[in-house]
Amino acid sequence: MKKTIHIVAGGPGELIPELSEYQEENIVWIGVDKGVQTIFHAGLQPGLAVGDFDSIKEEELERIERQVPSLRRFKPEKDETDMELAIMWALEMNPSAVKIFGGTGGRLDHFMANALMLGKFKRDHSGINFELIDVQNNLSVHLPGSHEIKRDGEKKFISFIPIFSDVYGLTLQGFKYPLKHHHVAKGSSLCISNELIQETGHFSFEKGILMMIRSKD
């Protein structure tokens, strides 16, 4: 059975859901910089710590060195972000899914980089599900084809956002505001805050990369 990789970054703690609720078999936890401490505080065991750790106190770093099986420390001056390095390591394990926590809130540049990075990795690794999760939102990225979506009573608002380019042939079935073979331009607000009106819906499109965000108020 393939592993699922859960990556925890150092975003605001109030936006990170209860991580223990996401603990299952075949889960590997990766802590990115301060995210290692978040994993520890949730009573979970990180398998890897990644980052420059410039925001970690010396005694905290000593604990990480003692208790985390694998530590990859980098200089702050580097081409990749700590998150990108963590995802690259995760992909070496050939996972079925990569879920990111602590990647929203705080600095807007970090959030935008994380969200767009998922699109890049999804494009290059189509068989892996990539998701960015916080207490209010689930963000995922999808390639052309047909996709099923189930109703979520908590995060009922669903938005579709083209990234990198326009999306062609978008069809929404089972939604409050359906579409049929629609061309959605990058930057369009057409597909914001839709809702399912059935227990299961479907969306499909022919060309482009589509970001889906499921949110609650």
Side-chain angles (χ1 to χ4, degrees):
M1 182 181 294
K2 288 188 175 182
K3 291 181 171 60
T4 296
I5 309 297
H6 287 179
I7 301 175
V8 183
E14 64 270 17
L15 295 181
I16 300 176
E18 180 55 58
L19 296 181
S20 61
E21 296 179 0
Y22 292 84
Q23 174 62 15
E24 301 173 0
E25 292 185 18
N26 295 305
I27 298 291
V28 176
W29 292 90
I30 298 178
V32 178
D33 207 69
K34 291 191 299 183
V36 185
Q37 298 298 109
T38 304
I39 297 173
F40 279 141
H41 292 158
L44 302 168
Q45 173 59 48
L48 172 72
V50 174
D52 51 44
F53 300 103
D54 56 353
S55 59
I56 295 288
K57 296 179 181 179
E58 187 61 33
E59 60 269 24
E60 294 172 340
L61 182 58
E62 291 175 358
R63 180 189 180 188
I64 292 171
E65 292 173 337
R66 289 195 312 268
Q67 298 187 16
V68 179
S70 183
L71 173 65
R72 297 192 180 186
R73 190 173 186 182
F74 302 91
K75 294 180 179 180
E77 300 80 13
K78 56 187 181 301
D79 293 334
E80 301 87 359
T81 64
D82 291 342
M83 176 61 72
E84 187 171 8
L85 291 168
I87 295 175
M88 291 168 62
W89 183 89
L91 293 174
E92 293 177 11
M93 302 184 67
N94 191 29
S96 60
V98 176
K99 298 183 180 183
I100 298 171
F101 307 85
T104 63
R107 286 181 52 172
L108 187 58
D109 56 341
H110 286 176
F111 165 69
M112 291 297 295
N114 291 338
L116 294 176
M117 196 186 309
L118 292 193
K120 182 190 75 170
F121 281 114
K122 181 65 177 181
R123 182 177 56 197
D124 296 337
H125 303 272
S126 60
I128 300 175
N129 295 321
F130 293 92
E131 197 170 1
L132 183 62
I133 301 170
D134 66 21
V135 294
Q136 192 169 0
N137 310 279
N138 283 48
L139 183 156
S140 55
V141 181
H142 303 271
L143 299 181
S146 181
H147 308 273
E148 182 179 273
I149 177 172
K150 294 187 180 298
R151 187 199 295 267
D152 184 331
E154 185 178 32
K155 296 176 180 176
K156 66 178 183 177
F157 299 108
I158 305 169
S159 298
F160 296 98
I161 302 172
I163 56 175
F164 304 140
S165 66
D166 294 1
V167 162
Y168 295 87
L170 179 61
T171 296
L172 304 179
Q173 297 175 305
F175 285 81
K176 184 176 181 179
Y177 305 108
L179 287 176
K180 186 174 183 180
H181 301 301
H182 202 84
H183 169 208
V184 185
K186 185 177 67 170
S188 169
S189 61
L190 172 68
C191 298
I192 301 298
S193 293
N194 210 332
E195 298 178 48
L196 284 172
I197 57 175
Q198 300 176 359
E199 287 302 316
T200 301
H202 294 84
F203 66 96
S204 62
F205 59 105
E206 299 164 359
K207 183 179 178 181
I209 300 179
L210 196 61
M211 182 181 295
M212 180 178 71
I213 303 175
R214 309 191 68 168
S215 305
K216 66 177 181 180
D217 279 333

